[in-house]
Amino acid sequence: MSSRVSGDLEEEEEEEEEEEESVNPSEVKMSQIVMPCHSNHRQELSVGQLLKWMDSTACLSAERHAGSPCVTASMDDIHFEHTISVGQVVNIKAKVNRAFNTSMEVGIQVSCEDLFADRHWRVCHAYATFVTQRKNDGKKVILKPIVPHTQKEQVEYSVAAERRRVRMVHDDIISELLSHGSIQQADNAAVGNAVAAERTKVESVELVLPPHANHQVNTFGGQIMAWMVNVATIAASRLCQAHPTLRAIDMFTFRGPSQVGDRLLLRAIVNNAFKNSIEVGVRAEAYQEEGPNRHINSAFMTFEVLDNHGKPCTLPRIRPEPVEGERRFQEAIARKKIRLDRKYIISRKQGEVPLSVPWDPTNQVYLSYNNVSALKMLAARNNWRLSSEKDKVRLYTLEQKTMLSFRVEAEVDVPPHRAFCLLAELSNRPSWDTHYQKCELIYRVDDDDFLYRVVTPSVNSGGMGSPTSANPGERILQDFILLASKRKPCSNGDPYVIALRSVSLPTHPTTEGYNRGEVLCAGFTILETKNNMSLICYYNQASPEVLPYISTDIAGLSSSFYHTFCSCRQYLTKNRLQSESEELTGQSQAAHTDSPTCEHEADRLSVVLQSTHM
């Protein structure tokens, strides 16, 4: 869930210009000119001050939507793409992307403006989670839903549920990486000349005074973040003996309240030093004159040291402390791997080749996120064109530069939860789809994600593009290694989702007699309509291996899409009935407004943070 690359932003901004201006009533804008008092020694805006402004803007947006006091529960990863100089203007825009039950996701965009050169550029893009404080009688404030108006708002609304899913397992990913033994051990012999981690330790105490409080008379969350950045910068400076630049902050969660009169104990230490970057861990605890320390927050910040040409410098190695230091050393490697996975999987452009990303358990969460979010983003596009229709089965197309996508949709007299269960069983698809000759389950990742090998008829003679075809005139089959990710609705109005994308597996390389095809983005969305019927939509971003199957339909020369969908409808109708116990279970799942999984984290944080900072 790191910020997207600049190229993607430019494409998004071009698309936004064609849309009507958003009417999201929760939107809040803040503009600040950077004064010397906001800057560091390089006359650049300090990240701590920027975090204050970001948190303040996001909180105002959350409270505008909730109509009640809100507190920051967490902040997703932030990657700072550019610095901001004194005299330039910071523009911050925040709006609620989606409201769940008692929590909401707020999207924050930060850009910089040079008043004299008439230039604008993006600095960072972040997502924050806010929860409502309970009323005086202890009851929760139930949030009203967000109604997206533009295509971009629809995308953010739809993908917000998937981002929440990733947040909830963030800590588990680190634990699993370490437990699988995929993280290297600290080689003390190899780092004999390295800097001892103890030398980078920083400890600082701040007294929370009224100027540090927010409008709820609690410690301002942005102020806590700023203090944490300060001690982390000092720790990084002690290692590199230079002025470091903060590049990224990993996702962090506020764990407890803080009030005026608290003493905040801030500790920082360099966890690991890589070739061109440093990870610093920071822990914030609050205490009164008497009583135990309370853990408020922990964060992990990545720094670089730039030379005179703006290029990253090579950094000294770090020698970790025994036991705890070695644990932090290994966890820093795990977090770096996660950051690289995100950069490769999530931030890469959809048209990059190869399409299929290598799958392994350590990157499963982000592959699954990318799989589902890509399908939701495709479904949210508003420029689909109706290509043909037969007996209320409609074929739509979407042209995006060099990419052609298609959508087939129709209503089926089957309850949505039942249609979801049937279509999610991908192994049954050969029984109704002639394009699937064979579909075998390779591996069940968890309850929602599966790996399949699919065999399809070849549409080209001679095994075009296949290095394994011995006979140029031989007609060979195609096979695909697919990750299938299924998702139930997170709230009313959400569709059921079955997302498909290609991955590569070392255990299943290309084999003789088969062309290895690739699926970029495909799958089903299932939405409940009137009388417990289902609107079923099938999407596919047509790769070269897939396009020949549908090209004649798009050209109006055939209607194989119609016959395939009719077979699908017959399959669903034939298997519509189920046992009474299954029916009751399905109705219960379909009737919920917010699933327990979706609200588990928010409910827990709402209790912990009833009187916390902004």
Side-chain angles (χ1 to χ4, degrees):
M1 293 178 302
S2 58
S3 58
R4 284 162 286 187
V5 294
S6 300
D8 292 341
L9 174 71
E10 293 172 1
E11 293 176 3
E12 290 173 5
E13 288 177 344
E14 290 176 3
E15 293 168 359
E16 286 179 31
E17 291 176 0
E18 301 175 358
E19 295 183 344
E20 295 182 2
E21 186 176 350
S22 172
V23 293
N24 190 324
S26 70
E27 184 174 294
V28 172
K29 295 181 180 180
M30 175 187 290
S31 293
Q32 298 278 357
I33 190 165
V34 180
M35 306 298 290
C37 60
H38 303 139
S39 67
N40 56 25
H41 63 284
R42 289 192 294 263
Q43 296 298 295
E44 296 171 348
L45 174 65
S46 72
V47 175
Q49 181 61 61
L50 177 58
L51 290 171
K52 288 183 187 180
W53 288 338
M54 291 171 63
D55 192 49
S56 177
T57 309
C59 184
L60 293 174
S61 173
E63 293 187 339
R64 173 176 286 184
H65 178 73
S68 65
C70 296
V71 296
T72 313
S74 66
M75 185 81 76
D76 289 357
D77 306 339
I78 308 174
H79 176 72
F80 301 98
E81 300 174 15
H82 299 281
T83 57
I84 305 171
S85 301
V86 170
Q88 294 176 336
V89 174
V90 179
N91 295 310
I92 304 173
K93 181 171 68 174
K95 60 182 177 180
V96 178
N97 291 330
R98 180 160 185 167
F100 296 94
N101 190 6
T102 59
S103 68
M104 68 201 94
E105 179 190 275
V106 180
I108 310 166
Q109 295 183 17
V110 181
S111 62
C112 183
E113 177 183 359
D114 190 322
L115 296 174
F116 303 103
D118 192 25
R119 293 175 54 241
H120 296 77
W121 60 92
R122 191 177 77 170
V123 176
C124 64
H125 187 187
Y127 298 99
T129 301
F130 283 79
V131 295
T132 54
Q133 290 188 316
R134 293 178 182 265
K135 300 177 182 178
N136 294 332
D137 57 5
K139 293 182 179 179
K140 298 179 183 178
V141 176
I142 305 301
L143 296 169
K144 59 187 177 185
I146 285 286
V147 179
H149 294 276
T150 67
Q151 176 181 294
K152 183 173 177 60
E153 287 181 352
Q154 179 60 48
V155 169
E156 295 288 12
Y157 176 90
S158 185
V159 180
E162 196 63 19
R163 282 191 290 262
R164 163 177 269 192
R165 182 186 179 92
V166 174
R167 290 181 197 114
M168 295 177 68
V169 298
H170 182 262
D171 292 339
D172 295 336
I173 300 172
I174 302 292
S175 300
E176 289 180 9
L177 279 172
L178 297 173
S179 64
H180 281 105
S182 57
I183 302 303
Q184 70 186 56
Q185 301 292 318
D187 187 354
N188 292 326
V191 293
N193 297 324
V195 177
E198 294 93 329
R199 291 180 54 185
T200 69
K201 280 186 177 178
V202 179
E203 185 172 303
S204 179
V205 177
E206 300 284 354
L207 175 62
V208 181
L209 299 172
H212 303 139
N214 60 22
H215 59 294
Q216 301 169 28
V217 200
N218 298 304
T219 312
F220 176 36
Q223 179 64 69
I224 296 176
M225 296 182 208
W227 283 333
M228 295 175 76
V229 169
N230 181 55
V231 294
T233 304
I234 296 172
S237 301
R238 287 181 176 174
L239 173 69
C240 61
Q241 296 183 338
H243 295 297
T245 299
L246 180 59
R247 283 303 184 199
I249 303 177
D250 274 23
M251 180 169 60
F252 58 85
T253 301
F254 284 100
R255 301 172 183 271
S258 174
Q259 297 86 28
V260 172
D262 278 345
R263 280 72 170 167
L264 279 186
L265 176 61
L266 302 134
R267 295 191 179 100
I269 189 171
V270 173
N271 291 333
N272 206 331
F274 304 99
K275 182 180 179 181
N276 300 119
S277 63
I278 306 167
E279 185 195 272
V280 180
V282 190
R283 180 182 175 95
E285 298 176 350
Y287 66 93
Q288 295 286 342
E289 294 183 0
E290 297 180 357
N293 288 12
R294 309 186 310 276
H295 186 188
I296 298 299
N297 201 346
S298 291
F300 303 97
M301 305 184 187
T302 302
F303 291 85
E304 290 179 346
V305 177
L306 305 178
D307 60 20
N308 295 332
H309 302 288
K311 302 295 183 182
C313 299
T314 302
L315 299 168
R317 299 286 299 278
I318 193 79
R319 185 171 65 251
E321 302 170 290
V323 188
E324 282 299 301
E326 291 177 357
R327 175 187 61 79
R328 293 194 297 266
F329 183 94
Q330 295 166 34
E331 289 179 351
I333 298 173
R335 280 186 288 271
K336 182 178 181 181
K337 173 174 171 43
I338 290 172
R339 286 192 292 271
L340 292 175
D341 283 345
R342 284 196 302 263
K343 182 178 180 179
Y344 180 56
I345 296 169
I346 297 176
S347 296
R348 69 202 299 264
K349 294 182 180 180
Q350 292 292 305
E352 289 183 0
V353 176
L355 308 179
S356 47
V357 175
W359 181 92
D360 66 65
T362 62
N363 70 3
Q364 163 58 29
V365 170
Y366 297 101
L367 266 174
S368 178
Y369 165 80
N370 180 252
N371 191 18
V372 175
S373 61
L375 181 62
K376 288 185 173 183
M377 291 170 68
L378 182 62
R381 301 287 300 190
N382 59 12
N383 48 345
W384 289 95
R385 296 181 59 185
L386 181 62
S387 177
S388 58
E389 180 176 4
K390 185 176 180 179
D391 295 339
K392 297 184 179 180
V393 177
R394 295 170 291 275
L395 173 64
Y396 294 86
T397 57
L398 172 66
E399 295 184 35
Q400 299 170 272
K401 296 183 179 178
T402 59
M403 185 68 64
L404 175 68
S405 304
F406 63 88
R407 179 181 90 206
V408 184
E409 70 173 30
E411 273 194 303
V412 177
D413 189 12
V414 176
H417 64 271
R418 183 59 179 160
F420 172 72
C421 292
L422 291 169
L423 293 176
E425 288 294 334
L426 210 62
S427 299
N428 293 334
R429 187 162 169 176
S431 66
W432 60 267
D433 188 349
T434 57
H435 299 126
Y436 272 51
Q437 283 194 0
K438 183 179 179 182
C439 182
E440 59 178 339
L441 178 64
I442 297 174
Y443 180 59
R444 175 175 177 157
V445 180
D446 52 36
D447 291 340
D448 297 319
D449 297 280
F450 307 83
L451 293 169
Y452 290 93
R453 177 176 179 263
V454 175
V455 177
T456 68
S458 175
V459 293
N460 297 315
S461 297
M464 184 179 296
S466 172
T468 60
S469 179
N471 185 352
E474 183 183 358
R475 189 176 180 86
I476 64 175
L477 300 173
Q478 288 193 128
D479 68 344
F480 300 80
I481 305 300
L482 298 182
L483 170 65
S485 303
K486 61 179 186 179
R487 299 289 187 269
K488 295 177 182 177
C490 198
S491 63
N492 280 338
D494 276 2
Y496 291 86
V497 174
I498 304 165
L500 306 171
R501 66 157 296 156
S502 284
V503 295
S504 58
L505 289 174
T507 56
H508 289 72
T510 55
T511 56
E512 186 176 356
Y514 292 93
N515 259 334
R516 176 56 52 85
E518 291 186 315
V519 173
L520 174 59
C521 174
F524 295 90
T525 63
I526 306 166
L527 192 63
E528 183 176 7
T529 59
K530 60 183 179 180
N531 300 325
N532 205 24
M533 295 177 66
S534 301
L535 176 65
I536 297 178
C537 300
Y538 175 73
Y539 297 86
N540 199 310
Q541 276 188 328
S543 59
E545 297 86 0
V546 175
L547 185 59
Y549 291 118
I550 198 71
S551 58
T552 55
D553 289 334
I554 295 173
L557 302 177
S558 67
S559 56
S560 64
F561 77 93
Y562 168 75
H563 297 296
T564 301
F565 199 92
C566 286
S567 297
C568 177
R569 181 159 49 193
Q570 291 172 6
Y571 164 72
L572 294 175
T573 305
K574 179 181 177 181
N575 295 278
R576 184 182 191 278
L577 299 179
Q578 58 191 134
S579 67
E580 184 177 350
S581 60
E582 290 177 325
E583 183 70 29
L584 291 174
T585 301
Q587 289 176 355
S588 175
Q589 292 171 346
H592 74 288
T593 54
D594 279 288
S595 67
T597 301
C598 283
E599 281 307 308
H600 172 74
E601 180 186 34
D603 290 343
R604 176 180 62 82
L605 290 170
S606 182
V607 172
V608 172
L609 301 172
Q610 285 183 40
S611 58
T612 189
H613 45 270
M614 191 184 306

